[in-house]
Each structure stands twice: as C-alpha cells, then as structure tokens.
Amino acid sequence: MKTFLLTCLIGMIAGAIDILPMIKMKLDRHSIASAFVFYFILPFVILDIDLFSLAWWLKGGVTGLAMALPIIIMVAKEDKKSAPPMLIMSAVLGTLIGIAGHFLL
C-alpha cells in the first residue's frame, strides 16, 4: 500500500510540474487534463518495467519519451511549436520519475 501511495504522489507531482506552464498559457482544459493523467499514470509504468536491463536512471527518460511519442505526433500535426517542449518534458520528467522511484521505493 505504501508503494502504491508513493507512486501516486510521484505521479501527482510530475503531473503538476507539467501542467503549471499549460495553465499559465491558458490551454484548454482537455489538454491539461490529458497531460496530468499521462504523468499520473507514467510512474506506474516506469517503476514496473524492465527495459533490456537499462540503468535505473536511464529507464525513466526512455520510457517517458517512448510513451509520449504518439501524443506528440498527434499534437505536432496541428501545432509544430509544441513538439520540442513536449519531447523535452517527457524525457526530463520521465528521468525524474525514475530517479524518485529509485530513491523513494
């Protein structure tokens, strides 16, 4: 139960970090909700996946980036300027999720 709650907390923090700039830019609520849910669920995937024995610090960034690619491709169709920040945030937050999970769980 403790692991589940800590994973939820990591997801809520990552989601909040991602959506704060979105709220500031006044993006639509569906985009904000989608981003929050993505980063809320991502720690469950990152912390339970074994990716070809990748180092723990690399696994989060690779997984975060891979999971975000379909969304980024879809968004890039309408707004090409959003793709680079989304790529960066998915890699950075994925890495931070992996680091947090390694040290907290």
Side-chain angles (χ1 to χ4, degrees), residues 40-98:
F40 181 77
I41 294 171
L42 190 60
F44 291 96
V45 176
I46 289 173
L47 301 176
D48 287 328
I49 197 168
D50 182 22
L51 274 179
F52 312 110
S53 301
L54 278 179
W56 62 268
W57 55 269
L58 184 59
K59 180 175 72 167
V62 170
T63 305
L65 188 58
M67 297 282 298
L69 276 177
I71 299 166
I72 294 168
I73 292 168
M74 226 171 23
V75 169
K77 176 183 169 192
E78 300 293 323
D79 182 14
K80 294 191 185 340
K81 292 189 317 185
S82 294
M86 290 175 74
L87 285 167
I88 292 167
M89 285 300 281
S90 62
V92 169
L93 285 177
T95 300
L96 292 175
I97 289 167

CSV table of all heavy atoms in Angstrom, one decimal, residues 40-98:
chain,number,residue,atom,x,y,z
A,40,PHE,N,0.4,11.2,-14.3
A,40,PHE,CA,-0.1,10.5,-13.1
A,40,PHE,C,0.1,9.0,-13.3
A,40,PHE,O,0.5,8.3,-12.4
A,40,PHE,CB,-1.5,10.8,-12.8
A,40,PHE,CG,-2.0,10.1,-11.6
A,40,PHE,CD1,-1.7,10.6,-10.3
A,40,PHE,CD2,-2.8,9.0,-11.6
A,40,PHE,CE1,-2.1,10.0,-9.1
A,40,PHE,CE2,-3.3,8.3,-10.5
A,40,PHE,CZ,-2.9,8.8,-9.2
A,41,ILE,N,-0.1,8.5,-14.5
A,41,ILE,CA,0.0,7.0,-14.8
A,41,ILE,C,1.4,6.6,-15.1
A,41,ILE,O,1.8,5.5,-14.8
A,41,ILE,CB,-1.0,6.7,-15.9
A,41,ILE,CG1,-2.4,6.9,-15.5
A,41,ILE,CG2,-0.8,5.2,-16.4
A,41,ILE,CD1,-3.4,6.7,-16.6
A,42,LEU,N,2.2,7.5,-15.7
A,42,LEU,CA,3.6,7.2,-16.1
A,42,LEU,C,4.4,6.5,-15.0
A,42,LEU,O,5.2,5.6,-15.3
A,42,LEU,CB,4.2,8.4,-16.7
A,42,LEU,CG,5.6,8.1,-17.4
A,42,LEU,CD1,5.4,7.2,-18.6
A,42,LEU,CD2,6.1,9.5,-17.9
A,43,PRO,N,4.4,7.0,-13.8
A,43,PRO,CA,5.3,6.3,-12.8
A,43,PRO,C,5.0,4.8,-12.6
A,43,PRO,O,5.9,4.0,-12.3
A,43,PRO,CB,5.0,7.1,-11.5
A,43,PRO,CG,4.5,8.4,-11.9
A,43,PRO,CD,3.8,8.1,-13.2
A,44,PHE,N,3.7,4.4,-12.7
A,44,PHE,CA,3.3,3.0,-12.6
A,44,PHE,C,4.0,2.2,-13.7
A,44,PHE,O,4.5,1.1,-13.4
A,44,PHE,CB,1.8,2.8,-12.6
A,44,PHE,CG,1.1,3.4,-11.4
A,44,PHE,CD1,0.6,4.6,-11.5
A,44,PHE,CD2,1.0,2.6,-10.3
A,44,PHE,CE1,-0.1,5.2,-10.3
A,44,PHE,CE2,0.4,3.1,-9.1
A,44,PHE,CZ,-0.2,4.4,-9.2
A,45,VAL,N,4.1,2.8,-14.9
A,45,VAL,CA,4.8,2.1,-16.0
A,45,VAL,C,6.3,2.1,-15.8
A,45,VAL,O,7.0,1.0,-15.8
A,45,VAL,CB,4.4,2.7,-17.3
A,45,VAL,CG1,5.2,2.1,-18.5
A,45,VAL,CG2,2.9,2.7,-17.6
A,46,ILE,N,6.9,3.2,-15.5
A,46,ILE,CA,8.3,3.4,-15.4
A,46,ILE,C,8.9,2.5,-14.3
A,46,ILE,O,9.9,1.8,-14.5
A,46,ILE,CB,8.7,4.8,-15.2
A,46,ILE,CG1,8.5,5.6,-16.5
A,46,ILE,CG2,10.2,4.9,-14.7
A,46,ILE,CD1,8.8,7.1,-16.3
A,47,LEU,N,8.2,2.5,-13.2
A,47,LEU,CA,8.7,1.8,-12.0
A,47,LEU,C,8.5,0.3,-12.0
A,47,LEU,O,9.1,-0.4,-11.2
A,47,LEU,CB,8.2,2.4,-10.7
A,47,LEU,CG,8.5,3.9,-10.6
A,47,LEU,CD1,7.8,4.5,-9.3
A,47,LEU,CD2,9.9,4.2,-10.5
A,48,ASP,N,7.7,-0.2,-13.0
A,48,ASP,CA,7.4,-1.6,-13.0
A,48,ASP,C,7.9,-2.3,-14.3
A,48,ASP,O,7.7,-3.5,-14.5
A,48,ASP,CB,5.9,-1.9,-12.9
A,48,ASP,CG,5.5,-1.7,-11.4
A,48,ASP,OD1,6.2,-2.0,-10.5
A,48,ASP,OD2,4.3,-1.3,-11.3
A,49,ILE,N,8.6,-1.5,-15.2
A,49,ILE,CA,9.0,-2.1,-16.4
A,49,ILE,C,10.5,-2.5,-16.4
A,49,ILE,O,11.3,-1.8,-15.6
A,49,ILE,CB,8.7,-1.1,-17.6
A,49,ILE,CG1,8.8,-1.8,-18.9
A,49,ILE,CG2,9.7,0.1,-17.5
A,49,ILE,CD1,8.3,-0.9,-20.1
A,50,ASP,N,10.9,-3.5,-17.1
A,50,ASP,CA,12.3,-3.9,-17.2
A,50,ASP,C,12.6,-3.7,-18.7
A,50,ASP,O,12.2,-4.5,-19.5
A,50,ASP,CB,12.5,-5.3,-16.7
A,50,ASP,CG,14.0,-5.7,-16.8
A,50,ASP,OD1,14.8,-4.8,-16.8
A,50,ASP,OD2,14.2,-6.9,-16.9
A,51,LEU,N,13.3,-2.7,-19.0
A,51,LEU,CA,13.7,-2.4,-20.4
A,51,LEU,C,15.1,-2.9,-20.7
A,51,LEU,O,16.1,-2.1,-20.6
A,51,LEU,CB,13.6,-0.9,-20.7
A,51,LEU,CG,12.3,-0.3,-21.0
A,51,LEU,CD1,12.4,1.2,-21.2
A,51,LEU,CD2,11.8,-0.9,-22.3
A,52,PHE,N,15.2,-4.1,-21.1
A,52,PHE,CA,16.5,-4.6,-21.6
A,52,PHE,C,17.7,-4.3,-20.6
A,52,PHE,O,18.8,-4.0,-21.0
A,52,PHE,CB,16.9,-4.0,-23.0
A,52,PHE,CG,15.7,-4.1,-24.0
A,52,PHE,CD1,15.1,-3.0,-24.4
A,52,PHE,CD2,15.3,-5.4,-24.4
A,52,PHE,CE1,14.0,-3.1,-25.3
A,52,PHE,CE2,14.2,-5.5,-25.3
A,52,PHE,CZ,13.6,-4.3,-25.7
A,53,SER,N,17.4,-4.3,-19.4
A,53,SER,CA,18.3,-4.1,-18.3
A,53,SER,C,19.0,-2.7,-18.4
A,53,SER,O,20.2,-2.6,-18.1
A,53,SER,CB,19.4,-5.2,-18.3
A,53,SER,OG,18.8,-6.5,-18.1
A,54,LEU,N,18.3,-1.7,-18.8
A,54,LEU,CA,18.8,-0.4,-18.8
A,54,LEU,C,19.1,0.1,-17.4
A,54,LEU,O,18.4,-0.3,-16.5
A,54,LEU,CB,17.7,0.6,-19.4
A,54,LEU,CG,17.7,0.7,-20.9
A,54,LEU,CD1,16.6,1.7,-21.3
A,54,LEU,CD2,19.0,1.1,-21.6
A,55,ALA,N,20.0,1.0,-17.3
A,55,ALA,CA,20.3,1.6,-16.0
A,55,ALA,C,19.1,2.3,-15.4
A,55,ALA,O,18.3,2.8,-16.2
A,55,ALA,CB,21.5,2.6,-16.1
A,56,TRP,N,18.9,2.3,-14.1
A,56,TRP,CA,17.7,2.8,-13.5
A,56,TRP,C,17.5,4.3,-13.8
A,56,TRP,O,16.4,4.8,-14.0
A,56,TRP,CB,17.7,2.6,-12.0
A,56,TRP,CG,18.9,3.3,-11.3
A,56,TRP,CD1,20.1,2.7,-11.0
A,56,TRP,CD2,18.9,4.6,-10.8
A,56,TRP,NE1,20.9,3.6,-10.4
A,56,TRP,CE2,20.2,4.8,-10.3
A,56,TRP,CE3,18.0,5.7,-10.8
A,56,TRP,CZ2,20.6,6.0,-9.7
A,56,TRP,CZ3,18.4,6.9,-10.2
A,56,TRP,CH2,19.7,7.0,-9.7
A,57,TRP,N,18.6,5.0,-14.0
A,57,TRP,CA,18.5,6.5,-14.2
A,57,TRP,C,18.1,6.8,-15.7
A,57,TRP,O,17.7,7.8,-16.0
A,57,TRP,CB,19.8,7.2,-13.8
A,57,TRP,CG,21.0,6.6,-14.5
A,57,TRP,CD1,21.8,5.6,-14.0
A,57,TRP,CD2,21.5,7.0,-15.8
A,57,TRP,NE1,22.8,5.3,-14.9
A,57,TRP,CE2,22.7,6.2,-16.0
A,57,TRP,CE3,21.2,7.9,-16.7
A,57,TRP,CZ2,23.4,6.2,-17.2
A,57,TRP,CZ3,21.9,8.0,-17.9
A,57,TRP,CH2,23.1,7.2,-18.1
A,58,LEU,N,18.4,5.8,-16.6
A,58,LEU,CA,18.1,6.0,-18.0
A,58,LEU,C,16.7,5.5,-18.3
A,58,LEU,O,16.0,6.0,-19.3
A,58,LEU,CB,19.1,5.3,-18.8
A,58,LEU,CG,19.1,5.4,-20.3
A,58,LEU,CD1,19.2,6.9,-20.7
A,58,LEU,CD2,20.2,4.6,-20.9
A,59,LYS,N,16.2,4.5,-17.6
A,59,LYS,CA,14.9,3.8,-17.9
A,59,LYS,C,13.8,4.8,-17.9
A,59,LYS,O,12.9,4.8,-18.8
A,59,LYS,CB,14.7,2.7,-16.9
A,59,LYS,CG,13.4,2.0,-17.1
A,59,LYS,CD,13.3,0.8,-16.1
A,59,LYS,CE,13.1,1.3,-14.7
A,59,LYS,NZ,12.6,0.2,-13.8
A,60,GLY,N,13.7,5.7,-17.0
A,60,GLY,CA,12.6,6.7,-16.9
A,60,GLY,C,12.5,7.6,-18.1
A,60,GLY,O,11.4,7.8,-18.6
A,61,GLY,N,13.6,8.1,-18.5
A,61,GLY,CA,13.6,9.1,-19.6
A,61,GLY,C,13.3,8.4,-20.9
A,61,GLY,O,12.5,8.9,-21.7
A,62,VAL,N,13.8,7.2,-21.1
A,62,VAL,CA,13.5,6.4,-22.3
A,62,VAL,C,12.0,6.0,-22.4
A,62,VAL,O,11.3,6.2,-23.4
A,62,VAL,CB,14.4,5.2,-22.4
A,62,VAL,CG1,13.9,4.2,-23.6
A,62,VAL,CG2,15.8,5.6,-22.6
A,63,THR,N,11.5,5.5,-21.2
A,63,THR,CA,10.1,5.1,-21.2
A,63,THR,C,9.2,6.3,-21.3
A,63,THR,O,8.2,6.2,-22.1
A,63,THR,CB,9.8,4.4,-19.8
A,63,THR,OG1,10.7,3.3,-19.7
A,63,THR,CG2,8.4,3.9,-19.8
A,64,GLY,N,9.5,7.4,-20.6
A,64,GLY,CA,8.7,8.6,-20.8
A,64,GLY,C,8.6,9.1,-22.2
A,64,GLY,O,7.5,9.5,-22.7
A,65,LEU,N,9.7,9.2,-22.8
A,65,LEU,CA,9.8,9.6,-24.2
A,65,LEU,C,9.0,8.7,-25.1
A,65,LEU,O,8.2,9.1,-26.0
A,65,LEU,CB,11.2,9.7,-24.7
A,65,LEU,CG,11.5,10.4,-26.0
A,65,LEU,CD1,10.9,11.8,-26.0
A,65,LEU,CD2,13.0,10.4,-26.3
A,66,ALA,N,9.2,7.4,-25.0
A,66,ALA,CA,8.5,6.4,-25.8
A,66,ALA,C,7.0,6.4,-25.6
A,66,ALA,O,6.3,6.4,-26.6
A,66,ALA,CB,9.0,5.0,-25.5
A,67,MET,N,6.6,6.6,-24.4
A,67,MET,CA,5.1,6.6,-24.1
A,67,MET,C,4.5,7.9,-24.7
A,67,MET,O,3.3,7.9,-25.0
A,67,MET,CB,4.9,6.5,-22.6
A,67,MET,CG,5.3,5.2,-22.0
A,67,MET,SD,4.2,3.8,-22.3
A,67,MET,CE,2.8,4.4,-21.5
A,68,ALA,N,5.3,9.0,-24.7
A,68,ALA,CA,4.7,10.3,-25.1
A,68,ALA,C,4.7,10.5,-26.6
A,68,ALA,O,4.0,11.3,-27.2
A,68,ALA,CB,5.5,11.4,-24.5
A,69,LEU,N,5.5,9.7,-27.4
A,69,LEU,CA,5.6,9.9,-28.8
A,69,LEU,C,4.3,9.9,-29.6
A,69,LEU,O,4.1,10.8,-30.4
A,69,LEU,CB,6.6,8.9,-29.4
A,69,LEU,CG,8.1,9.2,-29.3
A,69,LEU,CD1,8.9,8.1,-29.9
A,69,LEU,CD2,8.4,10.5,-30.0
A,70,PRO,N,3.4,9.0,-29.3
A,70,PRO,CA,2.1,9.0,-30.1
A,70,PRO,C,1.4,10.3,-29.8
A,70,PRO,O,0.8,10.9,-30.8
A,70,PRO,CB,1.3,7.8,-29.5
A,70,PRO,CG,2.3,6.9,-29.0
A,70,PRO,CD,3.5,7.8,-28.5
A,71,ILE,N,1.4,10.8,-28.6
A,71,ILE,CA,0.7,12.1,-28.3
A,71,ILE,C,1.4,13.2,-29.0
A,71,ILE,O,0.8,14.1,-29.6
A,71,ILE,CB,0.6,12.3,-26.8
A,71,ILE,CG1,-0.1,11.2,-26.1
A,71,ILE,CG2,0.0,13.7,-26.5
A,71,ILE,CD1,0.1,11.1,-24.6
A,72,ILE,N,2.7,13.2,-29.0
A,72,ILE,CA,3.5,14.3,-29.6
A,72,ILE,C,3.3,14.4,-31.1
A,72,ILE,O,3.1,15.4,-31.7
A,72,ILE,CB,5.0,14.2,-29.2
A,72,ILE,CG1,5.2,14.3,-27.7
A,72,ILE,CG2,5.8,15.1,-30.0
A,72,ILE,CD1,6.6,13.9,-27.2
A,73,ILE,N,3.2,13.2,-31.7
A,73,ILE,CA,3.0,13.1,-33.2
A,73,ILE,C,1.6,13.7,-33.5
A,73,ILE,O,1.4,14.5,-34.4
A,73,ILE,CB,3.1,11.7,-33.7
A,73,ILE,CG1,4.6,11.3,-33.6
A,73,ILE,CG2,2.6,11.6,-35.1
A,73,ILE,CD1,4.8,9.8,-33.8
A,74,MET,N,0.6,13.4,-32.7
A,74,MET,CA,-0.7,13.9,-32.9
A,74,MET,C,-0.8,15.4,-32.7
A,74,MET,O,-1.4,16.1,-33.5
A,74,MET,CB,-1.7,13.2,-31.9
A,74,MET,CG,-3.0,12.7,-32.6
A,74,MET,SD,-4.0,11.7,-31.6
A,74,MET,CE,-3.7,12.1,-29.9
A,75,VAL,N,-0.2,15.9,-31.7
A,75,VAL,CA,-0.2,17.3,-31.4
A,75,VAL,C,0.6,18.1,-32.5
A,75,VAL,O,0.2,19.2,-32.9
A,75,VAL,CB,0.4,17.6,-30.0
A,75,VAL,CG1,0.6,19.1,-29.8
A,75,VAL,CG2,-0.6,17.1,-28.9
A,76,ALA,N,1.7,17.5,-32.9
A,76,ALA,CA,2.6,18.2,-33.9
A,76,ALA,C,1.8,18.4,-35.2
A,76,ALA,O,2.2,19.4,-36.0
A,76,ALA,CB,3.8,17.4,-34.2
A,77,LYS,N,0.8,17.6,-35.5
A,77,LYS,CA,0.0,17.8,-36.7
A,77,LYS,C,-0.6,19.2,-36.8
A,77,LYS,O,-0.7,19.9,-37.8
A,77,LYS,CB,-1.0,16.7,-36.8
A,77,LYS,CG,-2.0,16.9,-38.0
A,77,LYS,CD,-3.0,15.8,-38.0
A,77,LYS,CE,-4.1,16.1,-39.0
A,77,LYS,NZ,-5.3,15.3,-38.8
A,78,GLU,N,-1.1,19.7,-35.6
A,78,GLU,CA,-1.8,21.0,-35.5
A,78,GLU,C,-0.8,22.1,-35.1
A,78,GLU,O,-1.0,23.2,-35.4
A,78,GLU,CB,-2.9,20.8,-34.5
A,78,GLU,CG,-4.0,19.8,-34.9
A,78,GLU,CD,-4.7,20.2,-36.1
A,78,GLU,OE1,-5.0,21.4,-36.3
A,78,GLU,OE2,-5.0,19.3,-37.0
A,79,ASP,N,0.1,21.8,-34.2
A,79,ASP,CA,1.0,22.8,-33.6
A,79,ASP,C,2.4,22.3,-33.5
A,79,ASP,O,2.8,21.7,-32.6
A,79,ASP,CB,0.4,23.2,-32.2
A,79,ASP,CG,1.2,24.3,-31.6
A,79,ASP,OD1,2.0,25.0,-32.2
A,79,ASP,OD2,1.0,24.5,-30.4
A,80,LYS,N,3.2,22.6,-34.5
A,80,LYS,CA,4.6,22.1,-34.6
A,80,LYS,C,5.5,22.7,-33.6
A,80,LYS,O,6.5,22.1,-33.2
A,80,LYS,CB,5.1,22.4,-36.0
A,80,LYS,CG,4.4,21.6,-37.1
A,80,LYS,CD,5.2,21.7,-38.4
A,80,LYS,CE,4.5,21.0,-39.6
A,80,LYS,NZ,3.5,20.1,-39.3
A,81,LYS,N,5.1,23.9,-33.0
A,81,LYS,CA,6.0,24.5,-32.0
A,81,LYS,C,5.9,23.8,-30.7
A,81,LYS,O,6.7,23.9,-29.8
A,81,LYS,CB,5.6,26.0,-31.8
A,81,LYS,CG,5.9,26.9,-33.0
A,81,LYS,CD,5.7,28.3,-32.7
A,81,LYS,CE,4.4,28.6,-31.9
A,81,LYS,NZ,4.1,30.0,-31.7
A,82,SER,N,4.8,23.0,-30.5
A,82,SER,CA,4.6,22.3,-29.2
A,82,SER,C,5.5,21.0,-29.1
A,82,SER,O,5.7,20.5,-28.0
A,82,SER,CB,3.2,21.9,-29.0
A,82,SER,OG,2.4,23.1,-28.9
A,83,ALA,N,5.9,20.5,-30.2
A,83,ALA,CA,6.6,19.2,-30.2
A,83,ALA,C,7.9,19.2,-29.4
A,83,ALA,O,8.1,18.3,-28.5
A,83,ALA,CB,6.8,18.7,-31.6
A,84,PRO,N,8.8,20.2,-29.7
A,84,PRO,CA,10.1,20.2,-28.9
A,84,PRO,C,9.9,20.3,-27.4
A,84,PRO,O,10.5,19.5,-26.6
A,84,PRO,CB,10.8,21.4,-29.5
A,84,PRO,CG,10.3,21.5,-30.8
A,84,PRO,CD,8.9,21.2,-30.7
A,85,PRO,N,9.0,21.2,-26.9
A,85,PRO,CA,8.9,21.2,-25.4
A,85,PRO,C,8.3,19.9,-24.9
A,85,PRO,O,8.6,19.5,-23.8
A,85,PRO,CB,7.9,22.4,-25.2
A,85,PRO,CG,8.0,23.2,-26.4
A,85,PRO,CD,8.4,22.3,-27.5
A,86,MET,N,7.4,19.3,-25.6
A,86,MET,CA,6.8,18.1,-25.2
A,86,MET,C,7.8,17.0,-25.1
A,86,MET,O,7.8,16.1,-24.2
A,86,MET,CB,5.6,17.7,-26.1
A,86,MET,CG,4.4,18.6,-25.9
A,86,MET,SD,3.1,18.2,-27.1
A,86,MET,CE,2.5,16.7,-26.4
A,87,LEU,N,8.7,16.9,-26.1
A,87,LEU,CA,9.8,15.9,-26.1
A,87,LEU,C,10.7,16.1,-24.9
A,87,LEU,O,11.1,15.1,-24.2
A,87,LEU,CB,10.6,16.0,-27.4
A,87,LEU,CG,10.0,15.5,-28.7
A,87,LEU,CD1,10.8,16.0,-29.9
A,87,LEU,CD2,9.9,14.0,-28.6
A,88,ILE,N,11.1,17.3,-24.7
A,88,ILE,CA,12.0,17.6,-23.6
A,88,ILE,C,11.3,17.3,-22.2
A,88,ILE,O,11.9,16.6,-21.4
A,88,ILE,CB,12.4,19.1,-23.6
A,88,ILE,CG1,13.3,19.4,-24.8
A,88,ILE,CG2,13.1,19.5,-22.3
A,88,ILE,CD1,13.5,20.8,-25.2
A,89,MET,N,10.1,17.7,-22.1
A,89,MET,CA,9.4,17.5,-20.8
A,89,MET,C,9.2,16.0,-20.5
A,89,MET,O,9.3,15.5,-19.4
A,89,MET,CB,8.0,18.2,-20.7
A,89,MET,CG,8.1,19.7,-20.5
A,89,MET,SD,8.9,20.1,-18.9
A,89,MET,CE,7.6,19.8,-17.8
A,90,SER,N,8.9,15.2,-21.6
A,90,SER,CA,8.6,13.8,-21.4
A,90,SER,C,9.9,13.1,-21.0
A,90,SER,O,9.9,12.2,-20.1
A,90,SER,CB,8.0,13.2,-22.6
A,90,SER,OG,8.9,13.3,-23.7
A,91,ALA,N,11.1,13.5,-21.6
A,91,ALA,CA,12.3,12.9,-21.2
A,91,ALA,C,12.8,13.3,-19.8
A,91,ALA,O,13.2,12.5,-19.0
A,91,ALA,CB,13.4,13.3,-22.3
A,92,VAL,N,12.7,14.6,-19.5
A,92,VAL,CA,13.1,15.1,-18.2
A,92,VAL,C,12.2,14.6,-17.1
A,92,VAL,O,12.7,14.1,-16.1
A,92,VAL,CB,13.1,16.7,-18.2
A,92,VAL,CG1,13.3,17.2,-16.8
A,92,VAL,CG2,14.2,17.2,-19.1
A,93,LEU,N,10.9,14.7,-17.3
A,93,LEU,CA,10.0,14.2,-16.2
A,93,LEU,C,10.1,12.7,-16.1
A,93,LEU,O,10.0,12.2,-14.9
A,93,LEU,CB,8.6,14.7,-16.4
A,93,LEU,CG,8.3,16.1,-16.1
A,93,LEU,CD1,6.9,16.5,-16.5
A,93,LEU,CD2,8.6,16.4,-14.7
A,94,GLY,N,10.3,12.0,-17.2
A,94,GLY,CA,10.4,10.5,-17.1
A,94,GLY,C,11.7,10.2,-16.3
A,94,GLY,O,11.7,9.3,-15.4
A,95,THR,N,12.8,10.9,-16.5
A,95,THR,CA,14.0,10.7,-15.8
A,95,THR,C,13.8,11.0,-14.3
A,95,THR,O,14.3,10.2,-13.5
A,95,THR,CB,15.2,11.6,-16.4
A,95,THR,OG1,15.3,11.2,-17.8
A,95,THR,CG2,16.5,11.4,-15.6
A,96,LEU,N,13.2,12.1,-14.0
A,96,LEU,CA,12.9,12.5,-12.6
A,96,LEU,C,12.0,11.5,-11.9
A,96,LEU,O,12.3,11.2,-10.7
A,96,LEU,CB,12.3,13.9,-12.5
A,96,LEU,CG,13.3,15.0,-12.9
A,96,LEU,CD1,12.5,16.4,-12.9
A,96,LEU,CD2,14.5,15.1,-12.0
A,97,ILE,N,11.1,10.9,-12.6
A,97,ILE,CA,10.2,9.9,-12.1
A,97,ILE,C,11.0,8.7,-11.7
A,97,ILE,O,10.9,8.1,-10.7
A,97,ILE,CB,9.0,9.5,-13.0
A,97,ILE,CG1,8.0,10.7,-13.1
A,97,ILE,CG2,8.4,8.2,-12.6
A,97,ILE,CD1,7.0,10.6,-14.2
A,98,GLY,N,11.9,8.3,-12.7
A,98,GLY,CA,12.8,7.1,-12.4
A,98,GLY,C,13.7,7.3,-11.2
A,98,GLY,O,13.9,6.4,-10.4
